């Protein structure tokens, strides 16, 4: 299950090697850590490289997103501190940067989450990075960069990059950017989940980032969506009764009112098994979540590999322990 990570990147176009470092420094300020969203995570800088070289990339792309070029730092002519760290066997910032472009060919404003994989000459993946590109208008093209980040010294040389995965949702239903609070005063997001012995669990998170108390009662409201954001039929959404995980702690939780003061949070879980027997396996890339009846919808991307079970269990909202 690819997960991945949901601030709007300022896009800078660079066409010559000389101004590259200043453009990259500006881009680095916009990178966020892995979690609900992550925009081009990777290291603290380009190290000691004094010049760079750019290589065009023949990436066919996916869903209107493609990698256009790779920029590599030139080796330092003299030993540096970062060289000695690498000699100790620790990962150092590679200084490799991929340029990408996002073309919205639809008729609505979209927010994209893009996974870019950096590869060696033989096609082996050396590392993946995720970048979020917000509010791309209909017919618009947005360009940006993402860093390969830290790579162990033993990693084969990166020579190419491509778009590995693209998810896109209407911007008015996208999870809020880190550090921002929607007009509703609450943030809804999904984590990367956990999997063990065929059991899958993805956490839903509800954060009161507003200035007033916020009360939920019972279970989040869910709608399962396919790749085209259309309703998925044939899957039963079950309140936590132990139908998927008999005897678990989840099915013993009692649903009830939960009031969150500003700064407080609650969680619920999506639980399923990816058992595959007779029939056609069902995959659900998107879930539309409402914290309660009448709440604003938020589309998260847990990529539910439901197999042929036809069941998804949801637990009730429970206040997060502090």
């Amino acid at each position: 299950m690819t997960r991945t990570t949901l601030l709007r990147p300022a896009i800078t176009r660079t066409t010559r090697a000389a101004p590259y470092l200043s453009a990259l420094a500006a881009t680095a300020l916009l990178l966020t850590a892995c979690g609900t969203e992550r925009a081009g995570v990777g290291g603290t800088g380009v190290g000691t490289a004094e010049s760079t070289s750019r290589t065009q990339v023949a990436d066919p792309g996916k869903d209107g997103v493609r990698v256009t070029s790779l920029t590599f730092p030139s080796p330092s002519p003299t030993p540096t501190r970062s060289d000695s760290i690498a000699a100790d066997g620790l990962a150092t910032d590679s200084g490799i940067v991929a340029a990408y472009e996002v073309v919205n060919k639809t008729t609505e404003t979209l927010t994209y989450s893009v996974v870019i994989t950096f590869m060696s000459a033989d096609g082996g993946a050396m590392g993946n990075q995720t970048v979020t590109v917000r509010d791309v208008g209909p017919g618009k093209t947005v360009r940006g960069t993402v860093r390969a980040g830290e790579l162990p010294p033993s990693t084969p040389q990166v020579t190419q990059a491509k778009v590995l995965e693209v998810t896109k949702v209407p911007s008015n239903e996208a999870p809020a950017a880190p550090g921002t609070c929607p007009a509703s005063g609450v943030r809804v997001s999904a984590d990367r989940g956990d999997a063990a012995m065929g059991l899958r669990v993805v956490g839903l998170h509800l954060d009161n980032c507003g200035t007033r108390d916020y009360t939920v009662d019972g279970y989040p409201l869910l709608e399962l969506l396919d790749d085209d954001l259309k309703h998925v039929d044939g899957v039963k959404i079950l309140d936590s009764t132990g139908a998927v995980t008999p005897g678990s702690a989840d099915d013993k939780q009692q649903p009830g009112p939960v009031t969150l003061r500003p700064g407080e949070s609650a969680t619920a879980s999506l639980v399923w098994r990816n058992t595959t027997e007779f029939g056609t396996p069902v995959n659900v890339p998107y879930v539309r979540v409402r914290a309660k009846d009448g709440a604003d919808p938020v589309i998260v991307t847990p990529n539910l590999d439901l197999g042929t079970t036809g069941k998804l269990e949801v637990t009730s909202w429970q206040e997060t322990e502090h």
Side-chain angles (χ1 to χ4, degrees):
M1 184 166 70
T2 307
R3 326 298 171 262
T4 101
T5 190
L6 177 127
L7 295 174
R8 178 179 181 180
I11 306 302
T12 303
R13 187 195 301 262
T14 56
T15 57
R16 297 181 176 84
Y20 172 73
L21 288 178
S22 60
L24 180 58
T27 303
L29 293 176
L30 299 172
L31 306 182
T32 61
C34 176
T36 56
E37 297 179 7
R38 196 175 64 172
V41 173
T44 58
V46 294
T48 57
E50 296 180 355
S51 60
T52 59
S53 61
R54 171 169 293 188
T55 301
Q56 297 301 120
V57 173
D59 174 24
K62 290 186 177 183
D63 294 333
V65 185
R66 68 186 184 98
V67 175
T68 56
S69 67
L70 276 174
T71 301
F72 303 92
S74 298
S76 174
T78 58
T80 66
R81 181 176 181 275
S82 60
D83 295 331
S84 65
I85 293 176
D88 291 337
L90 300 179
T92 58
D93 186 81
S94 64
I96 301 170
V97 179
Y100 62 83
E101 70 174 18
V102 178
V103 181
N104 183 358
K105 300 178 182 180
T106 74
T107 58
E108 61 182 331
T109 300
L110 300 176
T111 289
Y112 292 75
S113 179
V114 181
V115 180
I116 292 176
T117 183
F118 294 82
M119 303 176 295
S120 60
D122 62 3
M126 300 298 102
N128 296 336
Q129 297 294 353
T130 303
V131 62
T132 298
V133 186
R134 293 184 171 274
D135 303 331
V136 183
K140 300 296 184 180
T141 297
V142 174
R143 296 179 177 87
T145 58
V146 59
R147 300 166 63 89
E150 294 184 349
L151 298 174
S154 59
T155 301
Q157 182 178 2
V158 171
T159 62
Q160 53 187 323
K162 69 176 183 180
V163 174
L164 183 65
E165 179 182 326
V166 177
T167 56
K168 54 185 185 294
V169 301
S171 289
N172 61 350
E173 294 187 75
T180 67
C181 189
S184 64
V186 293
R187 284 192 300 263
V188 174
S189 60
D191 60 32
R192 300 179 67 181
D194 190 17
M197 299 298 289
L199 181 67
R200 307 286 200 258
V201 180
V202 166
L204 298 179
H205 301 269
L206 176 64
D207 303 311
N208 184 351
C209 55
T211 59
R212 299 180 179 180
D213 289 356
Y214 190 84
T215 299
V216 289
D217 190 355
Y219 303 86
L221 305 179
L222 310 178
E223 182 183 5
L224 307 186
L225 305 173
D226 63 15
D227 285 314
D228 297 319
L229 298 178
K230 303 299 183 182
H231 180 80
V232 174
D233 294 315
V235 178
K236 293 181 179 179
I237 300 176
L238 306 172
D239 292 345
S240 182
T241 58
V244 174
T245 55
S248 72
D250 289 336
D251 68 291
K252 298 176 183 177
Q253 294 178 337
Q254 295 300 315
V258 175
T259 297
L260 303 176
R261 293 190 295 269
E264 294 184 335
S265 303
T267 59
S269 295
L270 306 181
V271 186
W272 73 99
R273 293 189 183 276
N274 70 329
T275 306
T276 300
E277 295 178 346
F278 298 105
T280 302
V282 175
N283 293 304
V284 177
Y286 301 96
V287 178
R288 179 178 279 123
V289 181
R290 288 178 172 85
K292 61 181 179 180
D293 189 28
D296 292 339
V298 175
I299 297 178
V300 298
T301 54
N303 292 299
L304 309 178
D305 55 341
L306 299 175
T308 56
T309 62
K311 297 177 181 178
L312 174 67
E313 185 174 312
V314 57
T315 69
S316 60
W317 289 117
Q318 299 291 319
E319 186 173 358
T320 304
E321 295 182 5
H322 298 287

